[in-house]
Amino acid sequence: MNGFSAAEPIRLAGGLSREFLLHHRCCPVELTADGAVRVAVGPDAALEALDDIAVAYRRAVSPSDVSADELERLIERITTRNERDVQIQSSLYPEDDTTTDVRDLANQPPVVRYVNLLVRDGYDAGASDIHLEAARGGLSARYRIDGVLVPALEPPGELHHAIVSRIKLLAELDIAERRRPQDGRLRVRLEARELDLRVSTVPTVFGESVVLRLLDRGGRPVGLEDLGMPPDILVGVEALSARPHGMLLATGPTGSGKTTTLYACLSKRDRLSEKIVTVEDPIEYQLAGVTQVPVHRQAGVTFSAALRSILRQDPDVLMVGEMRDPETAEIAVQAAMTGHLVLSTLHTNDAISAVARLLDLGVQDYLVASTVEGVIAQRLVRRICPDCASSYTPPAELVAQLVSRPVGRLTLSRGLGCAACRGTGYRGRVGLFELVVMSDDLKDAIARRAGRAELRALAEDNGMLSLRADGWRKVEAGLTTLEEVLRVVQ
């Protein structure tokens, strides 16, 4: 830092502003041992500004030459320090309970105000992610709402770089490093709600792209009966989640609601008489009576390392956020073999494919057959907005893409678009589900390494309905549209 110790960093004095410092190319940094203000002076600085700084602080000044990049970093730091002490007080690590308050948006600098408004509006809109993308024309902003990206508040044209720097400062990232990806986290408070924000930055051709994942710490797990499961699947999942041991898997792509489903299963357990432990990255819900362990790779707390330690905690039920490597899969299977109920997730396209995925992870076929009790495959589709729902007759060729059997002329629902749904015709989401309960014939087929087609045929003989079939049910019930189901399940 060019000799600056920052042992006694100072705040921006009254009468000085970000615009003043940028215009005059200088920045107060710290107090020297003799009580003077050390001032960073960049190339082409207006040295007469040193007199103004001396008057503002009522102290002598001691100038020090710095590069243009270093000056910009120092200005960014001092002009956000006051707001940062209020807006962000710590990184989001488990031992730190301090939070940010972004309620007061008035009288803030433009950059601070825009970032706060972006987060607030994203939360109010129900966004799961905020995307700030660098392009040739500057920075663009989008929200992911109900799984689809939609336009967000446009960033002020002249503040693109400052907005990215502001977010990086709040997440305690290195604002001077723009050539490599960085990950951080921060915590904000919106009225009575606490949000955990995971921040990811990556360098692109035109600058840095930033994504903020919004996790509602005040949120509560949804009940199984509220997920949209058909009655027959709901009964099956409730029975599986009540098993004393074995393994229950939820499969699907990222963002399909797998963790929410597993939390709903955990909520059915007796948390007073059982020891329930979860290992997650990150912790998405806070569940009373459950021991929740966050993954922290930098500290060596991986899924496998945490799971190995947790087995010495005398648990009854384990939830592993994701089985992504052979070691985690092996430990989870051994736990299911030794009298524990293990819930976990896999990334597969359907329920039957979970068997092949476990085999790919190195789990022996006889262990898969003896431990896996059931597999839930799921997707999330957008609900038709109730405020602008309207009836229509769909084209027969569109219906044929989802339903193989012939259907006559029918009337379905769709949203026309209104202010409540931001013109999309959809508001909220509901799940599509596929459940495979491991019967004896299925377990025998797995143990002898039967092919996927045979396993699927056996599952259908045992009553399994596909994701497409559940999607058609929800289209007929007026919950979603043909186009939405086809978008998700094809």
Side-chain angles (χ1 to χ4, degrees), residues 209-224:
S209 175
V210 181
V211 176
L212 295 87
R213 167 66 57 89
L214 278 64
L215 301 169
D216 188 355
R217 298 184 73 237
R220 292 291 177 264
V222 180
L224 272 175

Side-chain angles (χ1 to χ4, degrees), residues 141-470:
R142 293 192 290 176
Y143 295 138
R144 187 173 295 279
I145 299 175
D146 296 334
V148 178
L149 287 171
V150 300
L153 298 168
E154 279 300 314
E158 70 281 5
L159 299 175
H160 289 174
H161 173 64
I163 289 168
V164 173
S165 296
R166 169 71 179 168
I167 293 171
K168 291 172 71 175
L169 277 170
L170 295 179
E172 297 189 349
L173 303 179
D174 184 356
I175 65 170
E177 178 56 74
R178 303 172 190 168
R179 298 167 297 178
R180 63 178 176 85
Q182 297 187 68
D183 295 296
R185 50 186 64 187
L186 60 108
R187 182 170 297 164
V188 302
R189 187 190 297 277
L190 284 168
E191 298 172 352
R193 290 297 219 189
E194 283 186 6
L195 299 182
D196 289 345
L197 273 63
R198 286 193 300 171
V199 180
S200 171
T201 71
V202 295
T204 70
V205 174
F206 300 109
E208 288 182 286
S209 175
V210 181
V211 176
L212 295 87
R213 167 66 57 89
L214 278 64
L215 301 169
D216 188 355
R217 298 184 73 237
R220 292 291 177 264
V222 180
L224 272 175
E225 59 280 356
D226 300 320
L227 296 177
M229 291 182 179
D232 49 346
I233 291 181
L234 177 60
V235 170
V237 173
E238 286 179 333
L240 289 168
S241 61
R243 296 277 178 98
H245 53 77
M247 184 177 289
L248 174 60
L249 299 173
T251 73
T254 300
S256 59
K258 302 184 296 295
T259 303
T260 299
T261 297
L262 293 187
Y263 264 106
C265 293
L266 287 182
S267 67
K268 293 292 184 181
R269 305 293 301 200
D270 185 354
R271 285 169 273 168
L272 293 177
S273 62
E274 291 183 315
K275 174 80 168 183
I276 302 174
V277 185
T278 73
V279 186
E280 304 167 71
D281 182 24
I283 295 173
E284 297 191 19
Y285 301 102
Q286 293 180 339
L287 195 59
V290 174
T291 301
Q292 297 174 272
V293 180
V295 167
H296 196 323
R297 290 180 180 81
Q298 290 86 349
V301 185
T302 61
F303 277 111
S304 56
L307 190 54
R308 188 179 291 106
S309 298
I310 287 167
L311 287 175
R312 295 192 287 269
Q313 294 275 310
D314 187 29
D316 297 292
V317 181
L318 293 168
M319 189 186 96
V320 184
E322 183 181 349
M323 288 195 294
R324 61 178 65 172
D325 59 79
E327 187 178 7
T328 303
E330 179 186 358
I331 299 170
V333 168
Q334 290 298 328
M337 284 284 291
T338 54
H340 306 85
L341 179 65
V342 178
L343 287 70
S344 190
T345 70
L346 287 172
H347 290 282
T348 62
N349 287 330
D350 57 19
I352 285 298
S353 298
V355 173
R357 178 62 179 146
L358 286 175
L359 296 175
D360 290 341
L361 287 172
V363 181
Q364 295 295 317
D365 45 18
Y366 71 91
L367 289 175
V368 176
S370 59
T371 57
V372 177
E373 299 293 339
V375 183
I376 308 163
Q378 65 184 81
R379 300 289 190 277
L380 290 175
V381 293
R382 292 180 291 174
R383 286 180 179 268
I384 296 171
C385 175
D387 291 348
C388 60
S390 177
S391 300
Y392 81 112
T393 300
E397 59 272 17
L398 188 63
V399 177
Q401 292 183 44
L402 186 62
V403 186
S404 56
R405 59 181 172 81
V407 294
R409 183 180 176 86
L410 75 165
T411 301
L412 300 179
S413 296
R414 63 182 173 186
L416 298 179
C418 64
C421 62
R422 295 188 171 221
T424 63
Y426 299 97
R427 183 147 55 99
R429 289 191 286 182
V430 65
L432 305 184
F433 296 92
E434 176 181 286
L435 175 65
V436 172
V437 178
M438 293 297 172
S439 59
D440 290 339
D441 53 353
L442 260 175
K443 291 185 176 185
D444 291 341
I446 292 170
R448 57 181 169 82
R449 294 236 173 189
R452 181 180 179 280
E454 181 181 348
L455 293 177
R456 187 165 186 86
L458 287 171
E460 289 175 346
D461 290 342
N462 290 331
M464 183 196 79
L465 291 178
S466 67
L467 287 166
R468 295 171 68 89
D470 190 31

Side-chain angles (χ1 to χ4, degrees), residues 6-13 27-32 36-39 53 57 59 77-79 81-82:
E8 293 186 59
I10 58 177
R11 297 178 182 274
L12 194 62
C27 178
V29 178
E30 60 188 2
L31 294 179
T32 64
V37 177
R38 193 182 304 278
V39 179
I53 294 175
Y57 284 99
R59 295 175 181 266
R77 188 180 71 176
I78 194 170
T79 56
R81 179 172 291 126
N82 291 343

